[in-house]
């Protein structure tokens, strides 16, 4: 039950870069392959999956089983020696994001890249708390609305071992 998180009217256009989720979009197709082989979850522990070099962890609310935070990693599509990681959370659950993000890149030996946008300062805080450094900004890089009338700056983050 991740669709409400990714289609909700919450801040942030960069929702899950490794899965190609930008803006308010259904996660059903892109996340299905990541979650298909997930481990069973009891007591609010993160759901996890790993397939073809991709990793994903979802924090699930106990009562509703809704995904309230999600982190993923995979090979960077442009840089063969780097990984692309991301985290996204419901506004009430961002405090769990740094720990969830660390689970995704635990043991990684290559540089990590991540992206955030000005509409989601909580993501920037989570990335910083997980040891990422902001390297730069891409001005007006991502359309935040379907009509493409509002554009967000994208911050580029890296973490090196």
């Amino acid at each position: 039950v991740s669709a409400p998180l990714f289609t909700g009217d919450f801040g942030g256009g960069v929702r899950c870069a490794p899965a190609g989720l930008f803006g308010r979009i259904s996660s059903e197709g892109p996340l299905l392959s990541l979650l298909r082989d997930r481990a069973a979850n009891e007591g609010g522990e993160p759901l996890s999956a790993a397939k073809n070099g991709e990793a994903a962890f979802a924090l699930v609310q106990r009562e509703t089983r809704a995904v309230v935070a999600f982190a993923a990693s995979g090979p960077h599509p442009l840089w063969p020696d780097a990984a692309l990681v991301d985290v996204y959370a419901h506004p009430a659950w961002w405090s769990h994001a740094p720990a969830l993000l660390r689970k995704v890149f635990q043991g990684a030996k290559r540089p990590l890249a991540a992206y955030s946008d000005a509409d989601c300062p909580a993501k920037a805080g989570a990335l910083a708390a997980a040891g990422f450094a902001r390297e730069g900004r891409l001005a007006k890089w991502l359309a935040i609305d379907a009509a493409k009338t509002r554009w967000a700056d994208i911050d580029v983050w890296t973490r090196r071992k």
Side-chain angles (χ1 to χ4, degrees):
V1 186
S2 64
L5 175 64
F6 292 103
T7 60
D9 189 16
F10 313 124
V14 181
R15 301 221 170 168
C16 187
L21 293 172
F22 298 95
R24 293 174 67 184
I25 186 170
S26 175
S27 58
E28 186 175 322
L31 296 187
L32 187 58
S33 66
L34 291 175
L35 294 176
R36 183 176 293 135
D37 300 322
R38 66 178 164 75
N41 176 320
E42 293 300 327
E45 303 242 344
L47 296 174
S48 64
K51 187 176 180 180
N52 300 328
E54 300 171 329
F57 288 88
L59 186 62
V60 175
Q61 204 272 345
R62 283 186 185 144
E63 291 78 22
T64 66
R65 305 291 292 161
V67 173
V68 294
F70 187 83
S73 69
H76 197 291
L78 298 175
W79 313 113
D81 296 322
L84 178 60
V85 300
D86 210 344
V87 65
Y88 191 70
H90 181 279
W93 292 84
W94 273 108
S95 63
H96 298 272
L100 197 60
L101 186 58
R102 282 187 203 97
K103 285 180 130 339
V104 166
F105 65 76
Q106 182 176 351
K109 293 180 175 45
R110 56 187 173 169
L112 307 172
Y115 303 93
S116 68
D117 59 83
D119 269 13
C120 194
K123 180 185 270 193
L127 289 167
F132 284 77
R134 189 170 83 74
E135 299 286 349
R137 177 168 281 178
L138 304 169
K140 298 186 191 300
W141 200 256
L142 178 67
I144 294 297
D145 61 346
K148 297 189 177 189
T149 59
R150 196 165 67 86
W151 293 78
D153 295 343
I154 300 298
D155 288 333
V156 179
W157 298 80
T158 61
R159 186 177 194 279
R160 295 175 176 90
K161 284 263 170 184

